[in-house]
Amino acid sequence: MTTRPIAVVGASAAGITAVEALRRAGWTGPLTLIGDEPHLPYDRPPLSKQLLHGAWEPARLTLRTAEQLAPLDLDLRLGTRATGLDVATRTLTLDDGQRLACAGVIIATGVAARTLPAADGLTGVFTLRTLDDALALRDRLSGGARRLVVVGNGVLGCEAAAVARELGHEVTLVGRQPVPMAAAVGPVMGELLADEHRARGVRLLSGEVAGFETADAAADRPVQVDGVRLADGSRLPADLVLLAIGSEPAVGWLADPALDTADGLGCDAYCAAAPGIYAAGDVARWEHPVHGRPLRFEHRMNATEQAMAAARNLIAELTAEAAANGTAEAGGDGAEPPERRPFAPVPYFWSDQYGLKLQAYGLTTGADQVETTVLDRDARRAVALFGQAGRAVGVLACALPPRQLRALRALVATPVPWEEARDRVREATTAG
């Protein structure tokens, strides 16, 4: 059995799932989990909801305690950043200068929040990607009523705006597009969400941020933001600003030319970026065998499912390598090795805003057809069907009973013709 470890880079939901899946698949050799944050792996979706609201404390987000991790016999390296990877030798370089020669590597480094250069050095301007980000913003929101400007009206911006309003803050939501979340949910569903935010007291604006204004600086304190300037010349007073303007895949440390790092880490249908190098979660862009094109999906369920697939396929590859070389099986326990299988999930995401729950199966971005049926405008109850090239590829519902939504999943698991899907949506949403 090889003494080289398998290394998982990224102590995220995908990362912790990967190390557990590697052990289940029979890997008994050294196993290293590397994370650049000092925290044990935690769940990110509650950051912009329950944690920011104050309903949950950080401990509730922890995915595995130290006691639960102990049976995995991990070489756990928290607060450690990978700074390079030599693909040919599968050797990682860490920020302490150490070089770690690996049997295989799974990359689960996720994404980093985008920011604006004009925000550098300003107090009161936040991003919301990490636990520390969320706690810092929550701390500032807990100090009484505040004027919060949320820049970016995608999923994250809308969720944070909803929480801030529920906490009693004055909220302005600014986005490039006039309709919140339109790219993900379509224009009609986006308008329903806009109606809900307005009804709750959120001010909605569309525009580009041109810069920030600051309070009079004092020598003994940092420069504090007190306004946002838009490209049309208008000024939005602000005590706090949240930049929710998207993210960038965390691939800057991957400089090896053998890797494709355009929009995440490019992988084949098996989640392999190169021999012995796999990826999972937000960072991975892989060839989806059903949809026939590369996808990168930044949602929680995909992180878990893809990590299990990447781990299984890596073990299968290492076992085949060991057999070809006449050495011990990669798993080391004599168990029948798994076969590599393409990763072909039905993507799923959800968003909670106020009392509304949005849930989607399949693909809702990049559609060339969108048909939305509003079942109850006052209750914001609606279902949208998304199509591409004559096939249904995604379905999204707001405030729809789970039974009805589950019935629609089959439409996009193996995409059916558009007209057939439309008829089945009508049947499912009108059934008692």
Side-chain angles (χ1 to χ4, degrees), residues 265-275 277-279 285-289 306 313 317 340-343:
L265 181 57
C267 301
D268 63 15
Y270 301 93
C271 307
I277 311 295
Y278 287 71
R285 172 174 49 84
W286 87 104
E287 293 286 340
H288 195 292
Q306 193 166 30
N313 288 337
E317 180 181 332
R340 289 212 319 162
R341 295 199 299 269
F343 180 53

Side-chain angles (χ1 to χ4, degrees), residues 6 22 25 62 90 103 108 129 177 184 196 235 262 280 289 355 389 408 412:
I6 291 179
L22 287 165
T62 301
R90 302 176 194 172
R129 172 64 188 171
Q177 300 300 319
E196 185 69 13
R235 179 187 183 278
L408 300 177
V412 296

